[in-house]
Amino acid sequence: MRPTDWLQLGLFIGILAAITKPLGIYLTQVLDPAGKTWLDPVLRPLEKLTYRLMGVNPWREHGWKGYTFAMLLFSAVGVLFTYAILRLQHLLPLNPQGLPALSPALAFNTAVSFTTNTNWQSYSGESTLSYFSQMVALTIHNFTSAAVGIAVAAALVRGIARHSAATLGNFWVDLIRSTYYLLLPICLVFAVFLVSQGMIQNFKPYDTAKLVEPITLPVGTIDAAGKPSTEPQTITGQTIAQGPMASQAAIKMLGTNGGGFTNANAAHPFENPTPLSNFMQMLAILAIGSGLTWYLGKTTNNQAHGWSVWAVMMILFVTGVLTCWWAEAHGNPIHQAMGVVAADGNMEGKELRFGIFNSSLFATVTTAASCGAVNSMHDSFTPIGGLVPLFMIELGEVVIGGVGAGLYGMLVFVVLAVFIAGLMVGRTPEYLGKKIHAFDVKMAMLALLVLTASILGFSAWAAASAWGRAGLNNAGPHGFSEILYAYSSCTGNNGSAFAGLTATPADGDSHYNVTLALAMLIGRFLMIIPVMALAGSLVKKNIAPPSAGTFPVAGSTFAILLLGTVLLVGALNFLPALALGPIVEHFLMLHEKLF
Amino acid sequence: MSHSAPSLFDKAIIVPAIGEACRKLNPRLMLKNPVMFVTQVGAVLTTSAIFTSSADRCFVVQLAVWLWFTVLFANFAEAVAEGRGKAQADSLRKARKDTQARRQRGGKEDLVAANMLEMGDLVVCETGDVIPADGDVIEGIASVDEAAITGESAPVIRESGGDRSAVTGGTRVLSDRIVIKITSERGNTFLDRMIAMVEGATRQKTPNEIALTILLSALTLIFLLVCLTLKPFGSYAGIEFSTPVLVALLVCLIPTTIGGLLSAIGISGIDRLIRRNVMATSGRAVEAAGDIDVLMLDKTGTITIGNRMASDFVPAPGVSELELADAAQLASLADETPEGRSIVILAKAKFNIRARDLLQQHASFVPFTAQTRMSGVDLEGRSVRKGAAESITQWVRQHGGIYPSEVGQAVTAACNAGRTPLVVADGHRVLGVVELKDVVKGGIKERFAQLRSMGIRTVMITGDNPLTAAAIAAEAGVDDFMAQATPEDKLKRIRLEQAAGHLVAMTGDGTNDAPALAQADVGVAMNTGTQAAREAGNMVDLDSNPTKLIEIVEIGKQLLMTRGSLTTFSIANDVAKYFAIIPAMLMVTFPAMAALNVMKLGSPQSAILSAIIFNALIIVALIPLALKGVPYRPLGAVAVLRRNLLIYGLGGLVIPFIGIKAIDLVITTLNFA
C-alpha cells in the first residue's frame, strides 16, 4: 500500500467526482427529446431520419407498460438477431480464421449475455468468434444494451420527478438519443485515445510469432477408444490475435459491458496497453453511472439527493477498494512463510504492469459497476480479495452499477430505505413527496427477491448437481466460490468470471450455458419489469410539498440509512453462502490450508 | 368508558390473553400473519424432528419449546391488545340491550323490537325510554343521558332542527318527548360500529400495515430461500445441516419481532384514541391522522376559550375610568352571560369594585333583546345601559344626549384591533367603551409552534370579520386563517389544499359541515353535532372538544413511528443473529470458523439456542412498547429520524449481541446445552 497508490486512488475518485456534474448536465440534455447538445448540427438529421425509418413519433410518450413492452420487444429481437449470426458465423464474411458456427447453447448464452449488458463469455473471443460476429452481433449490443439501461433509469427518474402524470417518456427516443449523442461520440474519441496508447484496431488475420525459447507442455488428447491421455508437445510459435479491439474496448468500458475482445480481456497487452489506458478505462466504467446520479438530482430538483446517493455509492466503493487492496497487498501468509513469493502481496494472476493496487482497484471498479472486464484473475485473489468483487456484485450492482441499471437498482433500495425508516418520522413513508404504498413496496421487494432467488437458487442447483461440480477447477470452498460467483455475476449482469469454472465443457453439457443465460435474463428483465411498474406507480402520484415533517432524502442521516438498507436488506442474505465460500476459505488459509 | 389505560399487567386482561394466545395457534388464523405462520411451521418441523432427527434430542426439544414460545408470545401480544379493547366493548354492549321501540307508521303507533327498525322509520321516545337506534330528532326537545357511550354523566340537550339533532342508539331520554327519524341500518348503528371497533372484530389492515406486511413477507421469503439453499451448499461442503438448525436460523432471520407485534401495535393505536374518547370509523383514519400536514381549526373552543372577555375600559372625555367601570359593572351585575360576568370580574380586578345587592337598591334588570340589542339596569332614577355602538347612539339621542366623536373613534379602534366594543351610557351620558376580546387559550401558541416544527400548518377558521380574525390569528400564532368562512369556503379550501398535495384534518358539527368533513382526510365530528356530520366524518369525538384534533394527529404519528421503529429494530437484529448462528453451524466441520464467534458463545448448540431464546424473549420485552407506543416528541422529521434511528437502528444492532451473550452465559452455566 504505497503512497503513490494512495495518490492514484485519490486522483481517481477526485476525477470521477469532477466529471459527474458535466456528464450529468450532458445526460440531462440527451435524455430530453427537445434537449440541445453541441452535436445537434451533425446528429439531429440522423436522429430524425432514424425516427422516420422506424416510424416513431418522438413526441408520443409511453406509459410504463408501453415503455416496458417496447424495451422487451427490442431486446427479444436483439437476442434472436445475435443468435442467428452466431449460428451462421461460418457462412458470414470477415472470418479470416475460418471459425465454425457456435453450438446452440453457447450461441443462446452469448446472445442473451450481450443483450442483457452482462457480457459473460462462455468462450474465448479470439478462438471462437469472427470479426463479423464481434462487430455486428456483439458490439451493437454493447451500445444498445447500455442505452436500454440508461433508458430504463431515465424512465424511473421521470416517474419519481413527475407527478399526477401517466407517461414516462418514449423508449425509442431514449434509446436512440443515448446511443447517438452519448455513447457513439464518446466512444469515438475514447477509441482514438486507446489507439494512441497502443491498442490495435485492424481486420488482419492473426499473426504468428516464433518463440525465442520453445516450451514443452502436456496436451490432452482423446484416442480412438475415447480414452483421454496427455502427451508432451513442444511449442515453437505463438498465435497473436488481431482485430478491431479499440472500438470494442471503448464501448465495453463506457457501456459497462465488459465483454473482452480476447479471453484475457483487459489483461491482454493489446486490449489494455499502458497504465494510462488502464486508468482511463476504469474511469470510463464509472463515468456514466456517476453522471446519472447528478441527472437524478437535477430531474427531481433535489441535487443534494443526487449527491447523497452518489456518496453512498462511493462509501461502499472505497470500502471495497481498500479491503481488496489490503487483502492483496498482504498476500498469502502460507506462501510468504514458504518464501515462495515476495512479501509485497499476492501477485498471482496479476499483470506486472498493473501490480497489486491497479489490479485491486480494477477488480472493484468492474464489479461495482457491473462491467465485468478484468485486468487480473479474480480467481487468484486471496479469499478476502476475491470476496470483495463477489460482494460488490451481490450488493445488487448498485455501487455506481451498470449504466442505468446501477441507478435503478439503487433507487429500489432508496424506496425500501424510505419505506422502512420513513414510518419512524410518524408519517406514511414518502419519497420526494410521494407516498410509498403497498404496490410500490411489492415491486421493490420483487426486484430484490428475483435477484436473491436467481443467485442462490441456481447456485444451489449447480452445487448439488454432478454437472455443476464437473465444471470446477478447484475443490472445497474455492470451488463453491466459483459457482456462486458465476451466478452472481450473471444475475447481476456483471459478466466477469471468477475463472476456474468451465461453462462450456468438452463433453457438450449445456447446463451451465443455459442456466447462466437464464440467470442473465432473470437478473435483467425480471428486475426491469418491477422497476418499470414502480415507475408507473410513482408517476401517477401527487407530490406533497416539502415541510419540516418531510422525510429527508439527503444528508448524512439519509446516507447512513441507505447504506444500512443496502447492507442489511440487500447483502446480508448472501452471508451464509459467502461463509461457505470465501469466508471459510480465508479462515482456513490462516490455518494453513489452501484450495 | 374510562380514560385511563389499564395497567399493562392487569390480571383481568393477562389471564384470558394466555388462553387466547393458544387458541390463535389455529393455522387458519395464523395464515393472516405470514411471518408468524412460517415460524409456526418451523416449530412443527422441529417438534417432529425430536422423534426423527439424529441430533442431540435434549437440544432439539429445547429448540422446539422456544419456537412454540415465539409463536405464543406473538399471539399473546395480540391477545393482550385485543383484551384491553374487549373490556370496553363489554361495557358498551350493556347499552345495546334489547329495547322496544314505539314506531309510528301511518299515524298509528306500534311496539317493535329495536332490531326490527329500518332506515326512515319514525320512533317516539319519552322520559325514561332508551333510544332504540341512531337517528335525528325531527320533533321536540329532550335531555338525554349519553353516559353509556361518552362516559359523561351530565345530560345533553337534543332538539329538532339545528346542529344538536343527532341521537345515538343506547342512550336514554331523561325528560320530555321527541320523535326520531332512524338514520342507521340494522346492525350498523353507531354503537355497533363502536363495539366492533374496540373489539377489533372488523379490524381491517390499514394501507401502511398492508405495505409493511408485504415487506415482511418478502423478507421472510428471501430468508426462506437463504435457508433452503443452505442445505445443498452445506452438502457441497460436506456439512449435513439438520432441519432444526436450519429452522432456528430461519426463525432468527425472519422479522419475527415486528411480525409478532404488528397487529398489537395497530390495535393499541386505536385503543389509545378510544381512551381519549375518540371513535374512529376505521384504522385507516388513525393512520391518515399521522400524515396530516394541514389542520383546519375552528377558532371558538379550539384556539380561543369559548367566549369573549372584557379586557379594557376606555372612558369618554370627562369621565374617569373608575366611573365607567362602576357603571359597566352595575349594568352587568344581573347579566348572566359570560361577557357580562367578565365585565364584573374586570371591574373587580382593576378597581376592586364589589358586587352590590341590586334588590336592596330597588333595581330592575333590563335584559338583552334582539330588538334593543342592549342590556342594563334601572335604579334610583338611573338607567345604565351597555350595548352595541349603534344601539347606544340611538338610546343616548332619544334621551337628548350627544354621542362624543371620541367614543366613536374608540369604537373603531377597538374593531380594528379585533376586539368587540360595548358602549356604556348612563341616561343621556355616554360613559365610554368596554372592550371585549377573544381570549386565546393558554399554551396554544406553543402547541402551534410545535406543530409547525413537525411540518404541520394550522389554519384558523372563524366567522369573524377579517380584521378581528387577523388579530386573533397573530396572537395565537396560527399559520393562516379564513375569516367569515362559510361551510362552502371550508370545502373549497380543503380541495385546494389537497390538490397541492396536502392532507387536511378538520372538525365540524353542523349539517352544512358534512361535505367538508367528508372531503377532509381526517374529519372529526363532534358528538353533539348532527347525524349528518357524524356520518360524514371518519372520527367522532365523544367529548366534542375540537382541541382534540391535535391529539389525534399525535396518536396517528405515534402509531406509525412505533411500527417503523420496531421494523428497523427487527431488521437490525439480524446482524448479531448471523454472528451467533453461522459460526455455530460451521464450526464443527471447519474449526477455523471459530474466529467469527465474536461473542465467544459457549458451544454451537448454546449459540443457536441463545439466539432463538433472545428472539422469543424480545417479543415479550417489547409488548409494553408496542402497546404504549414509542415516546412521542414534537420535533422535525430530521431530528425524529436521527433519534429513532439511533435508538432502534443502532440499538437493534447492539442489543442482541449483549442479550445473546447473556442468555448464553445462563444456558452454559445451567448446563442446558
Side-chain angles (χ1 to χ4, degrees), chain A residues 326-375:
Chain A
W326 173 85
E328 293 309 299
H330 280 74
N332 185 327
I334 301 173
H335 288 172
Q336 283 160 12
M338 291 162 73
V340 181
V341 292
D344 69 340
N346 172 30
M347 274 303 288
E348 184 192 322
K350 295 188 179 64
E351 278 289 299
L352 273 174
R353 65 186 193 284
F354 303 132
I356 301 277
F357 173 72
N358 268 308
S359 300
S360 309
L361 179 61
F362 199 108
T364 315
V365 167
T366 196
T367 48
S370 124
C371 177
V374 290
N375 76 350

Side-chain angles (χ1 to χ4, degrees), chain B residues 229-553:
Chain B
T229 53
L230 209 49
K231 185 94 182 163
F233 290 169
S235 49
Y236 171 95
I239 314 172
E240 208 51 53
F241 293 126
S242 70
T243 309
V245 168
L246 286 175
V247 167
L249 176 65
L250 175 66
V251 171
C252 278
L253 294 183
I254 60 175
T256 48
T257 313
I258 178 66
L261 296 173
L262 189 58
S263 64
I265 296 170
I267 296 170
S268 60
I270 292 174
D271 196 48
R272 277 197 292 280
L273 262 192
I274 294 168
R275 274 177 215 300
R276 284 179 177 73
N277 261 355
V278 177
M279 288 300 316
T281 53
S282 69
R284 204 189 178 100
V286 188
E287 217 174 73
D291 286 342
I292 291 305
D293 55 358
V294 175
L295 282 184
M296 308 237 306
L297 299 170
D298 278 324
K299 183 199 77 178
T300 309
T302 311
I303 296 170
T304 61
I305 47 180
N307 306 292
R308 292 162 170 237
M309 309 278 246
S311 62
D312 282 298
F313 296 113
V314 183
V319 181
S320 74
E321 200 180 337
L322 177 65
E323 191 183 350
L324 169 62
D326 185 67
Q329 188 244 23
L330 210 53
S332 307
L333 274 176
D335 183 356
E336 281 301 314
T337 64
E339 287 89 351
R341 259 174 295 171
S342 77
I343 294 174
V344 177
I345 291 166
L346 183 71
K348 184 172 182 206
K350 274 201 155 174
F351 302 103
N352 207 18
I353 301 170
R354 292 185 173 278
R356 287 158 277 194
D357 190 348
L358 289 176
L359 285 173
Q360 280 184 359
Q361 303 188 16
H362 310 289
S364 64
F365 176 59
V366 183
F368 178 89
T369 65
Q371 282 78 37
T372 60
R373 294 181 64 208
M374 55 188 183
S375 64
V377 66
D378 289 333
L379 77 165
E380 293 164 355
R382 289 174 71 184
S383 343
V384 185
R385 295 286 183 275
K386 67 174 201 294
E390 303 94 86
S391 324
I392 297 292
T393 313
Q394 231 173 5
W395 160 270
V396 170
R397 294 206 173 121
Q398 275 170 11
H399 288 75
I402 46 159
Y403 185 80
S405 62
E406 287 85 349
V407 173
Q409 282 160 10
V411 165
T412 317
C415 284
N416 287 348
R419 297 169 179 201
T420 309
L422 282 182
V423 182
V424 182
D426 188 351
H428 64 279
R429 244 179 104 216
V430 176
L431 297 176
V433 178
V434 181
E435 287 185 1
L436 299 177
K437 71 175 223 183
D438 269 311
V439 178
V440 171
K441 282 188 174 174
I444 199 89
K445 191 165 185 171
E446 290 70 31
R447 201 123 188 221
F448 290 149
Q450 282 179 1
L451 288 172
R452 198 162 20 254
S453 71
M454 293 160 62
I456 298 170
R457 214 151 40 84
T458 42
V459 179
M460 182 183 85
I461 297 166
T462 170
D464 292 340
N465 65 56
L467 270 177
T468 312
I472 298 162
E475 193 181 340
V478 293
D479 297 273
D480 199 357
F481 65 90
M482 285 176 73
Q484 288 166 344
T486 63
E488 293 73 37
D489 291 339
K490 280 195 218 177
L491 182 63
K492 222 179 347 184
R493 176 66 181 256
I494 291 174
R495 291 209 170 122
L496 214 66
E497 297 279 4
Q498 285 173 336
H502 294 290
L503 275 95
V504 186
M506 70 164 285
T507 57
D509 51 6
T511 299
N512 46 16
D513 279 336
L517 279 172
Q519 179 72 35
D521 300 282
V522 173
V524 184
M526 300 292 105
N527 192 44
T528 53
T530 61
Q531 195 64 34
R534 287 176 13 171
E535 292 284 336
N538 45 17
M539 290 188 198
V540 176
D541 179 17
L542 301 175
D543 297 339
S544 305
N545 169 10
T547 320
K548 216 176 266 172
L549 195 50
I550 299 172
E551 282 174 55
I552 292 172
V553 170

Side-chain angles (χ1 to χ4, degrees), chain B residues 618-658:
Chain B
I618 197 74
I619 296 179
V620 181
L622 290 174
I623 290 177
L625 185 70
L627 296 184
K628 278 199 230 150
V630 302
Y632 162 85
R633 276 178 183 74
L635 298 168
V638 181
V640 170
L641 179 63
R642 198 165 292 162
R643 195 191 143 78
N644 285 340
L645 210 52
L646 207 64
I647 299 175
Y648 301 100
L650 193 63
L653 281 177
V654 175
I655 289 171
F657 277 102
I658 302 166

